[in-house]
């Protein structure tokens, strides 16, 4: 599948999502799906168009997507790498909160009342698996066929951010997308990015069930805490960004070293380094086409409308 077809796939996914959302709105009075149903539908919206597209284009996903078997030691290194990257992801999230509301925290207020097992299964296992298949699997590897590694990495990460349909999650989802591509290339396996993605989502959902009271009314809890500290919300965010920024500087440096160690262990350090160098005489295909431009405009239009509406 080439880049243009990948762009059509993303636009088709947006169209499929619009149809599903409209159907759910019309059926809202007769059929209430709840938070678990919403999480399931959100993953099916991403996965179903991709599976249909692969079928219609007669694309073999196993030939398209890297899926090498990981060493046990590599798995543990990826888990350690995930923890080291969390402070940077947190800092990017907090910077976005200077401008937009915390979408994840608002969602967790509904998750806290759902069964823990199914919530964790959907958010931290099924969700990352399906999203990695689509974004670091089908879309990234289709864009990579253009001969533009950096462009393919950034574009697949950008679209991953866009698909969240809000500026808060988009900010750090782009970072997660870039890191996931690097993990795929450093290991030759999409399972590496799945593990990383699962660890990030686990870090968000596990605290909800360990301390549910803190998520039942986060706005009131934060307001009381800020009142005790004598700080405004903006001042609190700046303080947190400063503290975690220093921590992120250290942990991200260690994460980069560990990522290099992962690539060396898998025998791919030379291959990854070569990806960043343009090959002379290699004809490169354009990544941007009209379906992509239209998709981006639709996503930004929806996100801006949501901000204005609220």
């Amino acid at each position: 599948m080439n880049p243009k077809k990948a762009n059509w796939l993303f636009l088709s996914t947006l169209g499929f999502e619009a149809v599903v959302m409209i159907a759910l709105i019309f059926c809202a009075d007769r059929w209430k799906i709840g938070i678990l149903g919403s999480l399931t539908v959100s993953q099916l919206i991403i996965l179903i168009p991709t599976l249909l597209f692969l079928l219609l284009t007669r694309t073999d996903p196993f030939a398209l997507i890297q899926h090498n078997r990981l060493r046990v030691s590599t798995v543990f290194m990826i888990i350690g790498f995930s923890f080291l990257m969390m402070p940077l992801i947190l800092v990017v999230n907090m910077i976005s909160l200077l401008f937009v509301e915390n979408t994840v925290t608002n969602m967790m207020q509904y998750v806290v009342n759902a069964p823990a097992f199914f919530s964790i299964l959907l958010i931290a296992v099924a969700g990352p698996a399906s999203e990695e298949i689509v974004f670091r699997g089908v879309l990234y590897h289709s864009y990579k066929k253009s001969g533009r590694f950096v462009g393919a990495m950034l574009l697949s990460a950008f679209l991953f951010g866009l698909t969240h349909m809000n500026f808060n999650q988009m900010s750090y989802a782009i970072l997660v997308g870039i890191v996931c591509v690097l993990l795929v290339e450093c290991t030759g396996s999409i399972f590496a990015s799945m593990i990383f993605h699962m660890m990030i989502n686990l870090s968000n959902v596990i605290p909800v069930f360990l301390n549910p009271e803190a998520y039942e009314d986060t706005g009131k809890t934060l307001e009381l805490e800020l009142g005790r500290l004598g700080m405004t919300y903006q001042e609190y965010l700046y303080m947190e960004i400063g503290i975690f920024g220093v921590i992120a500087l250290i942990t991200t440096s260690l994460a980069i070293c560990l990522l290099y160690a992962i690539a060396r262990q898998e025998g791919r350090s030379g291959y990854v380094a070569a990806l960043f160098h343009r090959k002379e005489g290699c004809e490169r295909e354009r990544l941007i086409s009209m379906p992509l431009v239209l998709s981006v405009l639709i996503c930004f239009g929806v996100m801006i409308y949501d901000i204005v509406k609220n």
Side-chain angles (χ1 to χ4, degrees):
M1 192 159 71
N2 58 35
K4 190 171 183 179
K5 287 182 179 179
N7 291 337
W8 275 112
L9 168 58
F10 188 72
L11 181 59
S12 300
T13 302
L14 294 180
F16 182 67
E17 180 178 4
V19 171
V20 172
M21 291 298 103
I22 292 171
L24 289 176
I25 290 172
F26 278 107
C27 297
D29 294 334
R30 292 174 293 173
W31 185 34
K32 297 187 182 299
I33 61 175
I35 184 62
L36 294 183
S38 296
L39 292 171
T40 303
V41 168
S42 66
Q43 296 308 317
L44 291 176
I45 285 172
I46 293 173
L47 198 56
I48 289 175
T50 300
L51 296 177
L52 290 175
F53 216 83
L54 290 173
L55 184 64
L56 293 172
T57 57
R58 298 182 180 180
T59 302
D60 181 2
F62 296 102
L64 180 66
I65 304 169
Q66 299 180 66
H67 56 282
N68 293 339
R69 184 176 179 181
L70 295 174
R71 300 180 185 181
V72 175
S73 56
T74 300
V75 172
F76 283 107
M77 292 172 75
I78 293 169
I79 293 173
F81 173 81
S82 304
F83 282 106
L84 289 173
M85 285 300 300
M86 285 178 188
L88 179 60
I89 294 170
L90 181 61
V91 169
V92 173
N93 177 41
M94 288 189 291
I95 291 174
S96 76
L97 295 181
L98 292 170
F99 311 99
V100 294
E101 66 177 11
N102 194 326
T103 307
V104 174
T105 300
N106 292 341
M107 183 185 73
M108 290 305 172
Q109 293 180 30
Y110 298 98
V111 173
V112 70
N113 296 315
F117 174 79
F118 291 107
S119 296
I120 293 172
L121 182 65
L122 287 170
I123 296 174
V125 180
S130 62
E131 288 170 4
E132 290 308 308
I133 289 172
V134 174
F135 290 96
R136 259 63 65 182
V138 176
L139 289 179
Y140 165 66
H141 284 93
S142 296
Y143 290 136
K144 187 183 174 185
K145 286 185 176 182
S146 67
R148 302 171 183 268
F149 162 68
V150 174
M153 174 176 66
L154 295 178
L155 181 55
S156 61
F158 177 63
L159 294 184
F160 177 59
L162 276 183
T163 199
H164 289 82
M165 290 295 185
N166 66 81
F167 288 106
N168 174 221
Q169 286 179 286
M170 176 184 171
S171 64
Y172 58 86
I174 293 175
L175 172 61
V176 170
I178 292 171
V179 173
C180 283
V181 167
L182 292 174
L183 280 169
V184 168
E185 294 297 357
C186 285
T187 61
S189 178
I190 197 171
F191 298 123
S193 64
M194 285 183 181
I195 293 170
F196 173 74
H197 197 161
M198 288 174 184
M199 294 302 299
I200 298 302
N201 282 20
L202 269 174
S203 70
N204 285 320
V205 72
I206 290 295
V208 174
F209 297 105
L210 291 179
N211 186 21
E213 293 80 9
Y215 289 84
E216 289 176 352
D217 192 349
T218 53
K220 185 177 181 180
T221 302
L222 181 59
E223 185 180 342
L224 290 173
E225 182 65 20
L226 292 177
R228 186 179 65 82
L229 295 173
M231 300 174 66
T232 65
Y233 182 60
Q234 292 270 0
E235 291 171 338
Y236 170 77
L237 284 176
Y238 283 126
M239 180 188 73
E240 292 286 286
I241 291 169
I243 295 171
F244 283 98
V246 174
I247 296 172
L249 187 63
I250 298 169
T251 58
T252 305
S253 299
L254 294 173
I256 293 171
C257 295
L258 187 54
L259 185 64
Y260 176 72
I262 291 171
R264 285 198 62 181
Q265 174 161 281
E266 294 295 323
R268 294 175 64 88
S269 55
Y271 169 79
V272 174
L275 287 173
F276 289 92
H277 295 89
R278 180 176 179 178
K279 296 179 181 178
E280 295 297 331
C282 179
E283 189 174 340
R284 303 195 297 174
E285 190 176 350
R286 291 180 59 184
L287 292 174
I288 299 175
S289 60
M290 189 52 65
L292 176 65
V293 174
L294 184 57
S295 298
V296 173
L297 290 175
I298 291 171
C299 290
F300 273 104
V302 171
M303 291 190 291
I304 293 172
Y305 172 76
D306 282 343
I307 291 176
V308 174
K309 182 184 66 174
N310 297 327

